[in-house]
Amino acid sequence: MKQIFFLTTALLCLCVPQAHAYDFMVNGIYYNKLSSSSVKVTSGDTEYIGTVSIPPTVTYNGTTYTVTSIGASAFYDDKYLTSVTIPNSVSRIEDSAFDGCSGLTSLSIPYSVIQISETAFMACSGLTSITVEAGNICYDSRDNCNAIIQSNNNELILGCMNTSFPNSVTTIGTFAFASSGLISVTIPGSVRGIQKSAFRNCKSLTSVVIQDGVQYVGEDAFNGCTKLTSITIPNSVTSIGEYNQEIKGETNVEII
């Protein structure tokens, strides 16, 4: 029989039908052992509602483990998760870890995180605020941009409905805005390329302006943007990938 747990006054774990493999559970959070001293957060038999605070360490059967990663699909499709605290012990956030957490409104990435999967925060359509803690060697959120930028190549890898584009950003990454709550966007000419699936399935997106200087639009970049009624494309764009129906004839396209 599945159980109900309270993690904080704002968090409730509700029963869901699927079963998951995990090594142990402490205070309503599920873990898999990575070594004799480290664990990752994993998916369990419950759905999280409200606030989750992941601890930097957890003790089970007399052994204390460091929480070093958030595993694949750990919080997948937990639509009523509104806030999560990620400790500075975590270095990796894996595939679809928070995919579909549409109730999540803000995100803070600690300085310890050095690897974030492309799909880790996909379909978090409620996000309005994204920050990266100072001192992170791999990622930043420069100029209060409400986005995660990969520091070594200036690629924006995750954005939200309030994202701005610093002039130093040169690429919009794969799945960067996929299934987000973005309504309209102007992509500055300082951006050279839009990677595949960057804006895929943005169901609220109605208007796109691509400024002169952008050179390519990747495969599937705007596919599934069913409300997109206007897109402006400059002559600097010399390549538009496949499966961009919203650019290729189903939308009012203006070439400048």
Side-chain angles (χ1 to χ4, degrees):
M1 183 177 182
K2 295 169 186 175
Q3 297 175 307
I4 295 176
F5 301 98
F6 289 92
L7 299 189
T8 70
T9 56
L11 173 63
L12 174 65
C13 298
L14 298 179
C15 298
V16 292
Q18 66 265 37
H20 302 273
Y22 52 86
D23 291 329
F24 62 87
M25 182 273 294
V26 175
N27 293 331
I29 298 179
Y30 298 86
Y31 301 93
N32 278 335
K33 296 178 185 177
L34 297 175
S35 70
S36 60
S37 61
S38 65
V39 294
K40 68 177 178 181
V41 178
T42 191
S43 57
D45 299 330
T46 55
E47 179 181 359
Y48 298 104
I49 292 178
T51 299
V52 172
S53 183
I54 300 170
T57 61
V58 61
T59 300
Y60 179 73
N61 280 351
T63 300
T64 297
Y65 300 90
T66 301
V67 180
T68 59
S69 63
I70 301 174
S73 302
F75 297 92
Y76 177 78
D77 210 30
D78 285 347
K79 294 179 172 59
Y80 302 105
L81 176 68
T82 57
S83 176
V84 61
T85 300
I86 302 171
N88 277 320
S89 59
V90 168
S91 61
R92 288 172 172 79
I93 304 175
E94 298 179 2
D95 294 343
S96 299
F98 294 91
D99 188 354
C101 292
S102 55
L104 196 63
T105 58
S106 64
L107 174 65
S108 179
I109 301 297
Y111 67 78
S112 57
V113 172
I114 59 173
Q115 182 178 325
I116 301 173
S117 164
E118 289 177 340
T119 61
F121 296 95
M122 193 162 66
C124 290
S125 57
L127 276 176
T128 59
S129 172
I130 302 173
T131 59
V132 178
E133 188 177 7
N136 190 302
I137 63 173
C138 294
Y139 305 103
D140 65 80
S141 53
R142 68 193 71 163
D143 301 333
N144 298 314
C145 62
N146 279 310
I148 300 175
I149 298 169
Q150 195 160 295
S151 303
N152 66 341
N153 62 2
N154 297 313
E155 180 175 308
L156 192 153
I157 67 164
L158 179 67
C160 68
M161 63 182 76
N162 289 334
T163 293
S164 60
F165 296 90
N167 289 332
S168 53
V169 169
T170 58
T171 309
I172 300 174
T174 302
F175 300 124
F177 291 89
S179 300
S180 73
L182 196 65
I183 296 173
S184 64
V185 62
T186 297
I187 300 168
S190 56
V191 172
R192 291 295 173 260
I194 301 169
Q195 300 283 41
K196 66 178 183 179
S197 301
F199 296 89
R200 190 183 74 178
N201 290 336
C202 285
K203 301 296 186 183
S204 299
L205 185 63
T206 60
S207 173
V208 175
V209 175
I210 302 174
Q211 293 185 340
D212 188 49
V214 178
Q215 298 172 1
Y216 66 89
V217 177
E219 177 181 313
D220 203 37
F222 291 96
N223 204 17
C225 298
T226 54
K227 291 185 179 179
L228 185 58
T229 57
S230 174
I231 183 165
T232 300
I233 303 175
N235 286 323
S236 60
V237 174
T238 58
S239 174
I240 298 176
E242 293 183 322
Y243 310 116
N244 280 298
Q245 283 85 350
E246 282 69 20
I247 289 178
K248 296 180 176 180
E250 296 181 8
T251 296
N252 179 26
V253 179
E254 179 184 358
I255 308 296
I256 61 171

